[in-house]
Amino acid sequence: MLSLVRTRLLQSGHRPLSPGSRAGLGAALTLLVIVSAVELADGRRAHYIAILMTVPLLAAALASWRVVLGVGAVATLTGVGFALVDPKMLLVTSVNVVGVALATGLAVAVASVRQRQAEQIGELTKLASVAQQAVLRPLGPQVGTLSVAGRYISSTATAEIGGDLYEAIDTPYGVRMIIGDVRGKGLDAVRLASIVLGSYRHVAYERADLRAVVADLDRAVARNVGDEDFVTAALVEERGGTLTIVNCGHPPPLLLRRGAVIPLEPPAPAPPLGFMPVVRPRVERLEPGDRLLLFTDGLGEARRDGEFFPTADRAWRLLGHGTVADGLASLETALVEWVHGRLDDDIALVLMEYAGTPTGVASAVPSWEVGAAES
């Protein structure tokens, strides 16, 4: 009979049971079988019907309300069967059977509320995913002449969105990229990240000088944050093989060249956006095959047993092979393995590769020299 009920429960819906429903159904039916076996072994007297109340309640912890209703009905019918064969059916036996039916109704109500809450959480998770896709648009695989890939690693399995941000766009002044980290977490951090990215996507096309881009972003942040809020950021421009970097309190990018890993520290420190940073550009001449890793401080803070992830030591082995997307996938795998799947902060990663200036294309001066070149 139990196998028939289980088959009907599985066939009653158009969709297969969820893992939670299967687990709840399996646990409840196992308990039902155990109680029935003990009752049968004890003889014709019904002593254990009351224990059947726990069967639908156990299913309610994991299964959908329909599964709980089916399991509860089986438990109630089983109790009725044991009560009918009892030669001295007492009032307490009848009360126990009624208790199983009432427990089934309560369990169905609990499962219904839990399922509705789970569906609401699922909808919110989908909305968060859509919001993240709107804030952090997919990168690459090609932006201008560069191969580019981006990756967002959330510190929690249930949250896919935070205050880390990145973007790469092809502008009249070359390929420009930004990576940043908003102080704080939650919806306020997401809101500020969207403001920074929205401003950047506009001014990156309008301003010839990266320092002017920084000034515009700083004003956008200052208008929308409190006195203690800020955004660290690094802005990168590739123009004709010349790499220009300005840094506003952010971890320096790593240049991967011929097996070496070179941190591109700024010429002088500058505060984050929101604190009126005065930046000095760092300029590097790229070589074909160079790769550049931009990252947020969650990567530098990832640790296990007090030991930080050796990013600089392992960067070339992890990032120097395959496509840039392959490199980021390898880095994420190694990082998650290092911390045993437990990260303290979200991490944004951008990896780009310079293949060289196409033949016949004149090398252009970086944006911060445009004004000087024209005068």
Side-chain angles (χ1 to χ4, degrees):
M1 182 178 71
L2 294 180
S3 61
L4 177 60
V5 170
R6 185 176 184 275
T7 302
R8 288 181 177 176
L9 285 172
L10 291 173
Q11 293 176 347
S12 60
H14 298 290
R15 295 175 298 177
L17 293 178
S18 66
S21 290
R22 288 197 297 270
L25 176 62
L29 292 181
T30 300
L31 179 59
L32 181 60
V33 169
I34 293 174
V35 174
S36 299
V38 172
E39 189 71 81
L40 290 173
D42 192 50
R44 298 182 65 186
R45 293 297 306 274
H47 292 142
Y48 306 102
I49 292 178
I51 302 178
L52 294 176
M53 297 180 190
T54 61
V55 172
L57 295 175
L58 177 61
L62 296 171
S64 67
W65 70 267
R66 290 183 176 86
V67 172
V68 174
L69 179 60
V71 169
V74 173
T76 303
L77 292 175
T78 302
V80 170
F82 285 126
L84 291 176
V85 299
D86 189 340
K88 297 181 179 180
M89 188 173 67
L90 304 176
L91 178 61
V92 66
T93 305
S94 301
V95 171
N96 287 337
V97 173
V98 174
V100 176
L102 292 177
T104 298
L106 176 62
V108 169
V110 170
S112 178
V113 172
R114 180 188 53 76
Q115 185 176 353
R116 186 161 53 250
Q117 291 176 339
E119 290 172 353
Q120 291 174 348
I121 293 174
E123 288 298 320
L124 290 176
T125 301
K126 290 179 181 179
L127 289 175
S129 179
V130 172
Q132 184 182 23
Q133 292 176 8
V135 174
L136 295 180
R137 300 183 300 196
L139 298 185
Q142 198 76 20
V143 181
T145 59
L146 302 178
S147 298
V148 180
R151 209 170 188 91
Y152 192 98
I153 307 173
S154 176
S155 59
T156 59
T158 55
E160 300 182 355
I161 190 166
D164 292 16
L165 58 97
Y166 56 74
E167 182 61 288
I169 51 181
D170 190 12
T171 76
Y173 311 104
V175 176
R176 286 179 164 176
M177 294 176 283
I178 184 174
I179 192 161
D181 191 356
V182 176
R183 177 183 178 273
K185 296 181 180 293
L187 292 178
D188 288 339
V190 176
R191 179 184 63 84
L192 185 53
S194 66
I195 290 172
V196 173
L197 285 175
S199 299
Y200 177 76
R201 288 163 181 159
H202 173 70
V203 299
Y205 287 97
E206 303 296 327
R207 302 295 190 185
D209 192 329
L210 279 182
R211 290 170 294 189
V213 175
V214 168
D216 287 342
L217 295 180
D218 177 68
R219 287 191 290 270
V221 171
R223 286 193 296 265
N224 291 278
V225 299
D227 294 337
E228 297 182 357
D229 295 325
F230 57 83
V231 180
T232 68
L235 284 75
V236 176
E237 175 189 285
E238 185 280 323
R239 183 181 175 112
T242 298
L243 188 70
T244 306
I245 304 170
V246 293
N247 196 315
C248 305
H250 198 78
L254 298 180
L255 177 63
L256 285 65
R257 174 178 291 168
R258 299 194 300 272
V261 179
I262 307 166
L264 299 183
E265 300 280 355
L273 299 173
F275 291 149
M276 296 185 291
V278 178
V279 295
R280 291 180 56 190
R282 172 164 182 165
V283 181
E284 296 286 336
R285 189 65 188 174
L286 292 174
E287 298 178 4
D290 282 353
R291 290 188 173 187
L292 186 73
L293 175 67
L294 311 175
F295 58 94
T296 54
D297 59 6
L299 178 60
E301 295 173 357
R303 58 186 178 272
R304 67 177 182 194
D305 301 327
E307 185 178 1
F308 290 96
F309 181 73
T311 303
D313 294 338
R314 302 182 65 179
W316 177 260
R317 294 195 301 272
L318 295 171
L319 300 171
H321 69 90
T323 65
V324 287
D326 294 334
L328 288 186
S330 296
L331 177 59
E332 179 179 1
T333 300
L335 178 65
V336 172
E337 181 181 355
W338 177 271
V339 300
H340 302 304
R342 300 179 61 182
L343 290 169
D344 296 328
D345 195 7
D346 294 353
I347 302 172
L349 303 169
V350 176
L351 183 63
M352 75 87 166
E353 180 178 11
Y354 174 70
T357 304
T359 304
V361 176
S363 178
V365 296
S367 66
W368 64 278
E369 290 185 345
V370 169
E374 292 175 349
S375 61

